[in-house]
């Protein structure tokens, strides 16, 4: 069975930049180790916005400019970038919380073989849960797991709520 790791939005703005948190900083070493030790193919999503961010639907509800393409905040956290470069990865640009391209990309890479997916990254309660649920909707029989120690939410309470939601939707929390 093929195994895929999805590293969700481990970008500077989410770790220690515009929307960074102490909890996000704290998971970086564990996430980097998970990337290095993962026995399978790795994908990394990039939350991607543009100069008009504040005039978008998301920007009006979250008026904090972040992850503007090609800015420092859009780049991966340094430790995560190093782990991904060592391991090799496929970047996945996404313009909203969940990547609608990811299910097809995984299916193509699986080449007809059965596969499993593990997700790690930021933020548990926004982009991790969105991608996990999109994948579960596309592949209801697929083993999907989220590694709790390699994720952080906007707040610890929202992290826990997102984990509970995913567990309720038959996504394994490991």
């Amino acid at each position: 069975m093929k195994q895929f790791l999805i590293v969700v939005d481990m970008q500077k703005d989410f770790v220690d930049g515009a929307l960074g948190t102490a909890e996000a900083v704290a998971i970086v070493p564990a996430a980097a180790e998970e990337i290095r030790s993962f026995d399978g193919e790795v994908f990394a999503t990039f939350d991607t916005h543009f100069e008009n961010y504040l005039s978008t639907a998301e920007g009006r509800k979250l008026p904090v400019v972040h992850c503007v393409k090609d800015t420092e905040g859009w780049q991966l956290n340094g430790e995560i970038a190093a782990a991904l470069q060592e391991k090799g990865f496929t970047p996945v640009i996404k313009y909203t919380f969940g990547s609608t391209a990811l299910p097809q990309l995984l299916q193509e890479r699986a080449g007809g073989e059965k596969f499993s997916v593990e997700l790690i990254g930021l933020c548990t309660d926004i982009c991790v849960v969105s991608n996990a649920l999109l994948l579960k909707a596309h592949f209801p029989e697929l083993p999907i797991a989220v590694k709790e120690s390699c994720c952080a939410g906007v707040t610890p309470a929202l992290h826990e709520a997102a984990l509970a939601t995913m567990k309720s939707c038959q996504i394994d929390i490991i």
Side-chain angles (χ1 to χ4, degrees):
M1 175 182 290
K2 288 198 174 201
Q3 297 180 36
F4 299 125
L5 176 66
I6 313 301
V7 179
V8 179
D9 299 353
M10 289 295 293
Q11 295 157 274
K12 290 180 182 183
D13 272 346
F14 288 121
V15 175
D16 59 6
L19 294 170
T21 64
E23 293 82 13
V25 171
I27 69 159
V28 169
E33 179 55 33
E34 185 66 13
I35 292 164
R36 286 186 181 99
S37 65
F38 188 77
D39 185 24
E41 192 170 344
V42 179
F43 298 81
T45 67
F46 286 77
D47 191 48
T48 303
H49 302 294
F50 301 94
E51 295 298 327
N52 70 335
Y53 174 76
L54 292 176
S55 66
T56 67
E58 179 183 329
R60 288 189 294 276
K61 292 188 179 203
L62 177 64
V64 178
V65 176
H66 65 281
C67 295
V68 173
K69 190 170 183 355
D70 298 326
T71 64
E72 184 176 339
W74 182 75
Q75 303 300 321
L76 292 166
N77 163 272
E79 191 173 342
I80 297 299
L84 288 167
Q85 289 301 329
E86 289 171 28
K87 183 72 175 180
F89 74 103
T90 300
V92 179
I93 305 297
K94 63 180 190 60
Y95 304 105
T96 188
F97 306 129
S99 170
T100 56
L102 195 54
Q104 182 176 346
L105 180 60
L106 295 178
Q107 195 161 23
E108 289 169 4
R109 292 291 176 87
E113 289 184 47
K114 291 185 178 194
F115 62 97
S116 65
V117 175
E118 179 183 316
L119 295 97
I120 64 173
L122 303 167
C123 294
T124 317
D125 50 306
I126 303 173
C127 295
V128 174
V129 69
S130 294
N131 282 287
L133 291 174
L134 271 168
L135 291 170
K136 193 64 173 174
H138 275 85
F139 308 111
E141 299 299 317
L142 181 73
I144 299 174
V146 171
K147 188 154 194 178
E148 179 177 1
S149 64
C150 295
C151 294
V154 173
T155 67
L158 290 173
H159 168 76
E160 291 299 327
L163 293 173
T165 296
M166 290 185 280
K167 189 173 183 177
S168 293
C169 293
Q170 302 176 354
I171 293 166
D172 296 323
I173 306 304
I174 56 174

